[in-house]
Amino acid sequence: MLKYLVIPAAVLCATSAHADEGQWQPYQLPQLKSELKRVGIAIPAEKLADLSKHPMSAIVSLGGCSASFVSDAGLVVTNHHCAYGAIQRNSTPEHNYIANGFLAKTRAQELPGGPNTLVYVTDKVENVTGRVLKGVTPSMSGKQRSAAVDKAIKALIAECESDKFYRCSVPAFHRGLEYYRIRQMMIRDVRLVYAPANSLGDFGGDIDNYEWPRHVGDYSFLRAYVGKDGRPADPSPDNVPYHSKDFLVVSAAGLKNGDPVLLAGYPGRTSRYKLPSEIRYARDAAYPAKAAEIQSDLDVIAASTKDSEADAVRYASVVKSLNNVMKKTRGLMDGFARKDIAAIKDVQDAEFRAWYGKQANASKTLLPELDKLIAADIALSDEEFGYSVATTGDLLKTGTILYRLALESAKPDAERETGYQQRDLTFIKARLNRLEQSYVGSVDQARFIAALRRYAALPKSMHVTDLDALLPAVDAVPALYAQSQLGDTARRLAWVGKDAAAIGASDDAFLQLAVKIDGVTQALKERRKELDGNLERVIPQYMAAVIAWKKSQGKPVYPDANSTLRVTYGTVSPYSPKDGITKGPFTTIEGIVEKNTGKEPFNAPANLLEAIKARRYGQFKDPVLGTVPVNFLTSADTTGGNSGSAVMNKHGELVGLNFDSTYESITKDWYFDSDITRAIHMDIRYMLWVMQEVDHADNLLREMTIQYPRK
């Protein structure tokens, strides 16, 4: 065992950071005082590290996006695209809130966000590494190790959730070197308050996605409701707005080039400590296959919904999500082509291995074993990709969930597969309910047929052992849909709680298919558990050594993003994507007029254009720009999941919302290049200007605490 395996938390922070790189855990911030001072942040680092104090106590997660409280009555601001599911859920051809926007002038008019719209308030983070790894021994197989860790994590979660007020998790940091238990209050009654028209909230659409310059009002408002006792409760007319003891003051004073920013949110996933072989696999195989698969699926949905506006509305959120993933995937591919990150990592990897070989306690078997396990991981990932293609289709996924739930429900709760415990039942029902707004039988059938054809054409290395013989023939698929009632919400939900025998005896075609392929599915999962268990044994040893190596060089050492609360910082900064071109850092409302064509996605609302033409800038006019700013760039380190993150000035006041990155920055998930890495934010002055001059959301302007510039 390496002497690096157990490292005090304090050393996980470097003595100095390079540029503005780093997605820091809040507890690390006191060790970054010099960096925060360098940037110009005025908030004491100790205060930023305290989740019970402002501003961190105002930062929340939406379970995939970030957000923040902006009033003491549970008012939450986030991105338009983060609230899109709630907007789409309430939209019909007659009341198309996607196209026309929505504004509740009173709380009675606020609309239910739906079972998938949740607000998570993090209130406690504790290092539980010792408790997770207490029962782990070196002699364990990968599967045994995985089971031991899983058992410990479930026990820690159950202990934390003895008070149903909370939702808890125990994610791994540094690829299994450390584990932290995260306690969050989960608010289940969340309502849609205000969303601008899509032509404003998504101006530029997929064409402008990840591009600069941008001119999008990517914001929406939700409200968190709780029971009269102040505790989270199921949606009810009797619920009251959540009293958020802390919320962000909104600053209309704005920023200028070079000003510092602080950004807090829940970044999804980064891969900055991956090996060169993992980068090459992503670059040469995984991303091209993923892009081709998404594009094919998008083409099928487009062809299947083109003659029905109602069907198009039902699949709007699905399409938007797929398009976003597609643009990012292509950006990653282009970024890898533009800069050979694998070659950069080759140099770093060689330097690390040379350093490691000189250490007194260096293991001769660690790195060869690591390389062997990474190769096995790549091979298994190919099969898992093939499985995901073959099982495309909401009815098959529904049948699979229902049968697995029935099998797991027969076990004691602590022994059930993660995702199928009693604590997960609400989420399972929410997922099954969600199809009510995003399922059409003919569209799903077309997607499944096309996916089966694509799976058949995949290389044999991507075919799952024993699965091919169990899949239906393409010409048999229409009969499956004719012989299934899972497309009906009531019938679908009626299967929740039924035992495996009842499902096995069902004549529903997709339940039968789910039963048929379950053995293969579980065999694939068992192989993954064995491999992951071995990876979790070896990679922490590797990461401990990497951290020690980086620390010896004074380089930043922060964990890869894993959807937990992180803080980053930076400055308002332009950038040069290529020689002779400098972009940013601000765009203005006049740019909307220049881009406007009157046709989607550049069809700005008429009342917005009229306000721009009339130059009704009011108090939101920037003294330098001479007009109202729309979007701006900073050097803050962000990734997916940071959408909706609060962008704060040096005093912790809300000045923007993060929503994107420049196209050249997409590869920052793998490698942070300070010269070109830029995050894109919506200037809060644009949001306030639209609310005042265009949508007349006066009730919300009055509710928020807004600091206006001095006259």
Side-chain angles (χ1 to χ4, degrees), residues 15 54 93 131 133 194 254 293 302 360 445 486 498 656:
T15 55
H54 184 279
R131 295 181 65 182
L133 300 178
Y194 166 45
E293 176 62 19
Q445 179 176 307
L486 295 183
K498 298 289 180 66

Side-chain angles (χ1 to χ4, degrees), residues 11-29:
V11 308
L12 295 183
C13 175
T15 55
S16 64
H18 289 185
D20 299 324
E21 177 182 356
Q23 296 171 345
W24 304 97
Q25 293 172 267
Y27 86 84
Q28 294 180 287
L29 295 175

Side-chain angles (χ1 to χ4, degrees), residues 26 43-59 122-123 245-248 565 648:
I43 310 169
E46 288 78 10
K47 186 177 180 184
L48 289 172
D50 191 337
L51 302 186
S52 68
K53 288 186 170 59
H54 184 279
M56 299 306 295
S57 54
I59 307 301
T122 301
D123 79 330
K245 72 179 183 68
D246 288 316
F247 57 89
L248 298 183
L565 182 58
M648 297 171 278

